[in-house]
Amino acid sequence: MNMVRLILFPDDAQSPIPDQKLLFDGLQSAGLVGVPSNRDANIYCPGDQFMRLLTFLGCSPTVSMADESNDNDNPNNYYIELAEPTQDISVLQDDREFSPRCPQCGKSNSQWHSPLTSAASIYRCNECGMQAKAHEWDWRRHLGFGRTWLNIWGVHDGEAVPSEKLLELLEKLTGFVWNYAYSRK
Ligand SMILES: [Zn+2]
């Protein structure tokens, strides 16, 4: 399995854990999620609407909806995982270092950066003095936060974005607005 991913998570990091069954069943009936893979209990193959619910920005790949376990390097192998929710806000990131922008003045803050250990730590902007929790800073799609999230494994940074339809569906199923980021692991 290609360990790069598009991560979908609630825009407000403090959102509560939604009804996971309702969310999963909704994504499956909409055709984002297909048949189970043999990789892990939570990992599924793409459903028949996968290519419509994501917008690929370059050439559209030919997506395999079956589990091709002997073909780990196939760039067109995608898998969907509804991660186990966490009580605390999880930081969804890889091990690259990245400095966020201040939510008030927009200046990049080079005094601190990811990887983060906690979403709730408070940081102060050196430019304007604003103090805000880590999840309130602008990470520009380099990392996400949340108690619940969806991994779409195999999507490289900028390769695809969630369609409006998918974002609307997630909002309808959970009651809150969703956002997205990319990670290399
Ligand atoms: Zn600032």
Side-chain angles (χ1 to χ4, degrees):
M1 194 160 89
N2 202 333
M3 300 305 279
V4 294
R5 59 182 165 148
L6 166 66
I7 315 169
L8 289 143
F9 49 88
D11 189 49
D12 178 356
Q14 307 196 74
S15 300
I17 298 169
D19 182 329
Q20 296 290 106
K21 182 171 177 352
L22 187 104
L23 174 57
F24 182 83
D25 291 351
L27 293 172
Q28 200 161 38
S29 359
L32 180 76
V33 177
V35 297
S37 82
N38 59 13
R39 286 155 201 278
D40 185 280
N42 281 337
I43 297 187
Y44 287 74
C45 295
D48 59 8
Q49 297 300 305
F50 182 82
M51 290 300 297
R52 292 209 174 97
L53 292 168
L54 292 183
T55 304
F56 282 80
L57 304 175
C59 299
S60 292
T62 306
V63 172
S64 169
M65 288 187 279
D67 199 12
E68 296 176 14
S69 50
N70 57 353
D71 200 5
N72 276 340
D73 297 325
N74 183 341
N76 297 341
N77 275 358
Y78 300 97
Y79 293 96
I80 297 133
E81 174 184 28
L82 179 57
E84 281 294 321
T86 55
Q87 291 303 321
D88 291 331
I89 300 171
S90 293
V91 187
L92 313 168
Q93 63 187 334
D94 55 30
D95 46 18
R96 284 177 293 174
E97 291 193 347
F98 185 78
S99 298
R101 286 186 177 171
C102 171
Q104 182 166 278
C105 72
K107 289 277 185 340
S108 183
N109 195 312
S110 58
Q111 300 300 306
W112 64 283
H113 43 69
S114 64
L116 296 179
T117 51
S118 166
S121 302
I122 291 174
Y123 295 93
R124 182 179 175 280
C125 176
N126 288 331
E127 295 288 336
C128 72
M130 165 91 175
Q131 295 194 48
K133 289 180 180 169
H135 64 75
E136 294 168 333
W137 289 67
D138 177 7
W139 292 91
R140 291 179 293 152
R141 311 220 183 282
H142 281 74
L143 59 95
F145 300 91
R147 294 185 168 95
T148 190
W149 64 96
L150 199 63
N151 294 318
I152 303 189
W153 294 102
V155 178
H156 289 266
D157 192 342
E159 179 187 3
V161 298
S163 66
E164 280 303 311
K165 194 175 169 189
L166 177 55
L167 294 172
E168 282 166 15
L169 175 67
L170 287 165
E171 185 173 350
K172 190 176 132 205
L173 293 170
T174 60
F176 35 76
V177 172
W178 285 61
N179 204 340
Y180 65 97
Y182 301 91
S183 170
R184 287 188 194 167
K185 72 172 195 184

